Amino acid sequence: MRQNNKVWLITGCSTGFGREIAIHAINAGYKVIVTARKPETLTDLKKLNEKNVLVLPLDVTDKKQVNEAVQKSIDAFGQIDVLINNAGIGYFSSVEESLEEETRNMFEINFWGLMNMTNAVLPTMRNQKSGHIINFSSIGGLASFPSLGYYHATKYAVEGISESLGQELASFNIKVSLIEPSSFRTDWAGRSSVKTESKIYADTIGMMIQGTEKGSGNEPGNPAKAAEAIIAIVESPNPPLRLLLGQAAYQVATHKYTSLLDTIEEWKETTVTADYE
């Protein structure tokens, strides 16, 4: 195993993308801080490399615990070079029937939790004048579908703030990348999502939710290949702001932006004549 100097801090390592990225980063020779709300689920990751792996409890919505995790990471390895903001949940319901408690909780994790982590590591990265923040968005951060309205809202928020953040941090040599997967075999649509049954839209959204549940575990995306892609952009001298993952992500994104450009051109005259002359 080769020795890499970069230190990774990864959120949400108990399952899915977080676990797979942790395994690949450890096996690639990086020093890795693996975190989860239940750190006992990460003992097997520690065994992969006792010296280079630090296991910490972490709930990204708890600012005190976030700050403690960042400080313990620095105490252990002296720096943080890569932050993987992976922790997140899904929520399925119609917009009209969505429960406020569930949607606010999802924003606390998917958006505010991500920002808690980002703000906690930024002083260290600025002092280092280097770093890479990798924020997990979704193809649902670029295009929307029925039954996921509030989930999309969290991911559109991550997209918008990441764009601004990348511009603000460029002079400190800190990179920002957004990961935009389509359906991957990560249990996101199963255990990691909450669903509110639709009574008003049972024939449409209700059927979509049922279909998603039945398809959970058979998604086309391979988390191991996603982890390899994350390694590749970390090691790239010029990482992308956005990285789509999965054939469906590519197809949805190209259709969305081709259609958008067509609409922009169709209404160009109305658009450009809205200014003062």
Side-chain angles (χ1 to χ4, degrees):
M1 180 187 295
R2 70 185 189 274
Q3 182 67 41
N4 289 307
N5 293 324
K6 287 183 178 177
V7 177
W8 292 44
L9 171 55
I10 309 172
T11 68
C13 295
S14 58
T15 60
F17 285 125
R19 171 168 285 271
E20 202 64 52
I21 293 167
I23 291 169
H24 278 71
I26 294 165
N27 289 337
Y30 293 104
K31 296 180 176 69
V32 182
I33 302 100
V34 293
T35 69
R37 286 178 297 174
K38 297 179 179 180
E40 62 271 17
T41 63
L42 308 178
T43 53
D44 60 317
L45 298 179
K46 176 68 172 177
K47 291 177 182 178
L48 292 176
N49 191 317
E50 294 281 347
K51 180 181 178 182
N52 284 351
V53 177
L54 176 66
V55 175
L56 293 176
L58 179 60
D59 177 347
V60 296
T61 67
D62 183 335
K63 284 189 177 182
K64 182 175 183 290
Q65 199 170 59
V66 165
N67 290 330
E68 288 175 351
V70 169
Q71 187 58 55
K72 288 178 181 178
S73 299
I74 296 168
D75 291 344
F77 296 127
Q79 61 197 61
I80 298 173
D81 302 289
V82 181
L83 170 64
I84 308 288
N85 276 316
N86 162 74
I89 62 170
Y91 179 59
F92 290 80
S93 181
S94 69
V95 171
E96 184 178 358
E97 296 166 295
S98 290
L99 302 177
E100 183 175 345
E101 180 181 358
E102 297 293 354
T103 58
R104 286 185 179 276
N105 180 58
M106 182 169 55
F107 265 96
E108 287 296 325
I109 297 169
N110 291 6
F111 179 75
W112 289 112
L114 177 147
M115 290 312 302
N116 288 342
M117 292 301 305
T118 299
N119 287 327
V121 304
L122 276 180
T124 296
M125 289 186 173
R126 282 191 291 99
N127 288 336
Q128 295 170 179
K129 290 188 166 41
S130 66
H132 196 167
I133 297 169
I134 297 179
N135 291 334
F136 262 79
S137 177
S138 164
I139 186 56
L142 293 180
S144 299
F145 310 96
S147 80
L148 286 165
Y150 279 97
Y151 172 76
H152 290 304
T154 67
K155 294 304 184 180
Y156 276 71
V158 169
E159 294 270 337
I161 205 162
S162 296
E163 280 196 24
S164 292
L165 189 64
Q167 295 171 48
E168 293 173 3
L169 296 178
S171 63
F172 294 95
N173 192 35
I174 301 171
K175 310 294 184 182
V176 176
S177 294
L178 285 154
I179 308 302
E180 298 161 337
S182 46
S183 296
F184 275 69
R185 216 164 291 181
T186 62
D187 199 32
W188 173 82
R191 187 187 64 83
S192 297
S193 289
V194 177
K195 302 171 183 68
T196 296
E197 182 180 353
S198 177
K199 297 178 181 178
I200 301 172
Y201 306 95
D203 294 337
T204 53
I205 288 175
M207 294 298 291
M208 289 187 67
I209 293 175
Q210 289 178 24
T212 301
E213 290 177 332
K214 289 179 181 178
S216 180
N218 294 298
E219 296 90 343
N222 183 341
K225 291 185 177 180
E228 291 171 4
I230 303 300
I231 296 283
I233 67 168
V234 166
E235 295 182 346
S236 170
N238 187 29
L241 171 63
R242 288 185 167 86
L243 180 66
L244 294 158
L245 292 176
Q247 292 188 36
Y250 175 82
Q251 292 166 358
V252 169
T254 52
H255 174 74
K256 165 79 178 273
Y257 285 100
T258 299
S259 299
L260 177 60
L261 285 171
D262 289 344
T263 301
I264 289 171
E265 289 303 316
E266 180 183 355
W267 289 89
K268 178 180 177 180
E269 185 175 353
T270 302
T271 298
V272 300
T273 56
D275 294 335
Y276 285 108
E277 294 183 3

